[in-house]
Structure formats: structure tokens, C-alpha cells
Amino acid sequence: QGQLLESGGRFVQAGESLRLSCTSSGRSFSGQAVGWFRQVPGKEREYVAATAWDGRGRYYADFVQGRFTISRTDANNTVHLQMDSLTVDDTAAYYCNAVLMGSGQFVPRWQWGPGTQVTVSS
């Protein structure tokens, strides 16, 4: 069983940027679509962005509105989420996972990692 590990989250001011990273130990992202999700206490985890297995397809939730960019580097088994123009509504714990893609759905496949906390202050 591999383990996912997210990093890069921290406290920032509204309007600032963050770059989140996701690595997988023991399991390769190669050939897998990978997505980012986020969750706030008391709410369900929601999809944020996904990259197709070859990196050519990139998909975003409507609320992203051009502010985030997902990318992947299979050579070092890493997926990034560049987040710009952050707002207080982006405050959440962010998680990555391999995903199954179909019919507009992004279904997580592996066991979740610990996530990384992003807190945006006004």
C-alpha cells in the first residue's frame, strides 16, 4: 500500500498564492489521473482539480474560475496545485488522490493522506 503526502499549505492573506505538492510513496502516479480535493469541517470533501494520466487534460471545479493550475511531474511522482488569488472561501484542508474519471466525475481510488491545511485570512 502506498501513502499519499500533501504539503505546502499554510496561513496566507487574501489575494496571495500558494503551491501545494502531492507525492506518493510506494505507488506511482504514472498512468493515473490525479486529483485535488478539499474539505472544511462539517462539510463533505469536494473536488477541486484533476489532471489526466498524461498531463494533457486538466479539469477544474467551477469555483476555481481560472485561479488554480494543476500540474504533474511523473519523473518524481509529484502533482502540484498552484493557487493564485486566494480568498477566505479557499480555506480548507487539501488532499490529493489518484482518481477514476468519467461522466464529469472524479472518484478517488486510494487511501487518503493526511492533507495540508490552507488558511486564508482577509
Side-chain angles (χ1 to χ4, degrees), residues 10-18 82-87 120:
R10 61 181 176 89
F11 182 97
V12 295
Q13 298 291 325
E16 292 185 346
S17 298
L18 277 178
Q82 175 68 37
M83 304 191 297
D84 300 319
S85 302
L86 286 162
T87 74
V120 185

Side-chain angles (χ1 to χ4, degrees), residues 89-109:
D89 291 334
D90 295 317
T91 295
Y94 284 72
Y95 303 84
C96 66
N97 209 323
V99 295
L100 288 174
M101 296 171 45
S103 301
Q105 301 296 312
F106 302 89
V107 180
R109 299 188 62 190

Side-chain angles (χ1 to χ4, degrees), residues 49-69:
T51 173
W53 69 271
D54 59 359
R56 294 182 179 181
R58 301 181 184 183
Y59 311 91
Y60 300 95
D62 289 343
F63 63 77
V64 169
Q65 296 184 331
R67 300 178 298 126
F68 298 175
T69 303

Side-chain angles (χ1 to χ4, degrees), residues 36-40 43-49 61 63-64 67-68 83 86-96 112 116:
W36 281 94
F37 300 77
R38 68 185 188 184
Q39 187 173 25
V40 297
K43 293 189 176 182
E44 290 189 357
R45 199 166 306 190
E46 66 176 351
Y47 156 76
V48 176
F63 63 77
V64 169
R67 300 178 298 126
F68 298 175
M83 304 191 297
L86 286 162
T87 74
V88 294
D89 291 334
D90 295 317
T91 295
Y94 284 72
Y95 303 84
C96 66
W112 294 103
T116 186

